[in-house]
Amino acid sequence: MSTIPSRSFEMPHLFQELVNDRIQTFHREAEEYRLVSRVMRVQRARKSVERANARLQRALQS
């Protein structure tokens, strides 16, 4: 009978570990999303600068 009470004490602990692990996973996923978003913004900005430079070069050659 001693195993039943110990299991009942372990379950909340295991559940809390699962909750904490899931929270950490959400934080990691959010950080990855922010990083990807920043990279995409930089890529869009770089393309915009390249287009502006091309327009400027065409304007200067005219």
Side-chain angles (χ1 to χ4, degrees):
M1 287 186 111
S2 65
T3 59
I4 294 172
S6 67
R7 281 188 184 171
S8 66
F9 288 123
E10 288 177 13
M11 290 307 289
H13 178 68
L14 291 174
F15 180 75
Q16 189 60 44
E17 283 184 19
L18 288 173
V19 169
N20 290 341
D21 183 55
R22 190 66 181 136
I23 290 170
Q24 289 175 353
T25 301
F26 281 138
H27 285 295
R28 279 193 303 273
E29 289 172 352
E31 182 57 34
E32 290 171 4
Y33 177 80
R34 286 189 293 270
L35 180 60
V36 168
S37 295
R38 280 184 241 142
V39 168
M40 290 174 64
R41 273 197 309 271
V42 168
Q43 289 173 338
R44 283 193 301 267
R46 186 174 291 145
K47 286 180 183 180
S48 177
V49 167
E50 288 171 359
R51 286 192 301 269
N53 283 338
R55 285 193 306 270
L56 179 60
Q57 287 298 321
R58 285 193 303 271
L60 291 174
Q61 290 174 357
S62 297

